[in-house]
Amino acid sequence: MATGFYTNPIYLEHDTGNHPENADRLRAIDKHLRYSGLLNELEMRPGCTAELKEIQLLHSKKYIDSIREAAELGRGILGTPDCIISPGTFGAALHAVGAVLDSVVQVADNKIDNAFCAIRPPGHHAEHDAAMGFCFLNNVAIAAEFLQKNFGYQRILIFDFDVHHGNGTQHLFEKSEKVLYASTHQDPRTCYPGTGFAHETGFGSGKGFTLNFPLPPGTTDDRYLEFFQNKIIPQFEDYKPDFILLSAGFDGHTRDPLAMLDLTENCYHEITKQMRTLAEKFASGRLVSLLEGGYDLEALALSVEAHILALLH
Ligand SMILES: [Zn+2]
């Protein structure tokens, strides 16, 4: 068995110019993992394009059509200026979802132990019918819904350690007890998108299945990991997840230009190790991680390497 690594040149065709979320992010990861030799230890997978009915598990047809049309017409942006769209955006976005769905199927079917998906555009800000924060389709949320519908998992844990709150993922599951959405992120009073306060805990039967852990600017590895170990992991152990999905954003890194946490790649290694242990304890190891943010190219490449090393060993 092995760790799968999903990536595909189609993601480079989502052309955002010199926007922070650009194709050089994946080029930097690829170059670094080739140079370090780590790619040779991974099971390389090209993924595939998702079907529209899979995207429609969580996004409206009208919204999906609006992405396709804006891409075809070369509109420049979709809805908000931070969601740059190019002719290649729709194909890349469909394929990003497809790669994640293929990876969860392979893990669920015991073909691989776990997987990391180096995909873009990212997804955790995408809402049911709106693009937000560089995101168009909510990759991780569609994977969770797909796993519930097709494999019957009832206790899916999505842990989102991107420095920004995953508003889209929270909103898509805040009324459900079948998915626990947990997020650590920079204090929303000081950081985009301004949601993710600790009092946001879900609604109806989903009450208690949304967990938000805002962190003050300047949070270091030691402080993060102490909090993670003492306050977060025990709640995950109580939940006993049967499948774990990671919204892996590395923009909490101290070198990241978009936020103000002081984490290093060592922190991402430790988080991943602990999440892997949790997956082994409760979910027969089933864990899939997918790329969200991370905008300093060197910090991103080092963080992804540290993350994958913990998935592998
Ligand atoms: Zn982010």
Side-chain angles (χ1 to χ4, degrees), residues 25 122 124-125 133-135 160-165 191-192 249-252 256 258-259 292-295:
R25 298 175 63 232
H124 72 154
H125 295 302
F134 326 157
C135 300
D160 181 337
F161 57 81
D162 188 279
V163 79
H164 304 100
H165 176 238
C191 196
Y192 183 87
F250 300 98
D251 39 10
D256 198 274
L258 297 196
E292 300 283 0
Y295 305 101

Side-chain angles (χ1 to χ4, degrees), residues 237-263:
E237 293 198 322
D238 286 347
Y239 184 65
K240 299 181 177 57
D242 55 11
F243 204 110
I244 295 178
L245 298 168
L246 299 180
S247 256
F250 300 98
D251 39 10
H253 197 282
T254 186
R255 290 176 45 168
D256 198 274
L258 297 196
M260 294 182 286
L261 297 193
D262 275 337
L263 307 181

Side-chain angles (χ1 to χ4, degrees), residues 83-97:
C83 290
I84 293 178
I85 204 156
S86 74
T89 298
F90 189 61
L94 285 185
H95 199 287
V97 174

Side-chain angles (χ1 to χ4, degrees), residues 100-218:
V100 179
L101 295 185
D102 190 58
S103 71
V104 299
V105 169
Q106 297 296 316
V107 168
D109 286 345
N110 284 316
K111 301 276 172 44
I112 50 178
D113 289 307
N114 52 38
F116 179 72
C117 302
I119 52 173
R120 60 185 289 277
H124 72 154
H125 295 302
E127 300 274 0
H128 173 67
D129 55 3
M132 262 183 77
F134 326 157
C135 300
F136 298 88
L137 301 174
N138 199 313
N139 307 311
V140 76
I142 295 169
E145 188 75 9
F146 177 88
L147 280 168
Q148 258 187 58
K149 293 255 154 63
N150 294 288
F151 288 86
Y153 292 110
Q154 300 291 306
R155 306 183 70 78
I156 298 169
L157 167 62
I158 301 176
F159 178 48
D160 181 337
F161 57 81
D162 188 279
V163 79
H164 304 100
H165 176 238
N167 55 285
T169 315
Q170 174 173 312
H171 293 149
L172 288 163
F173 293 119
E174 64 193 352
K175 293 179 185 141
S176 167
E177 76 285 8
K178 293 179 183 171
V179 174
L180 176 66
Y181 175 68
S183 175
T184 58
H185 44 266
Q186 189 178 315
D187 187 332
R189 288 170 300 183
T190 63
C191 196
Y192 183 87
T195 51
F197 290 93
H199 63 75
E200 297 170 31
T201 56
F203 297 102
S205 62
K207 189 82 181 162
F209 294 90
T210 295
L211 301 174
N212 282 302
F213 304 101
L215 302 166

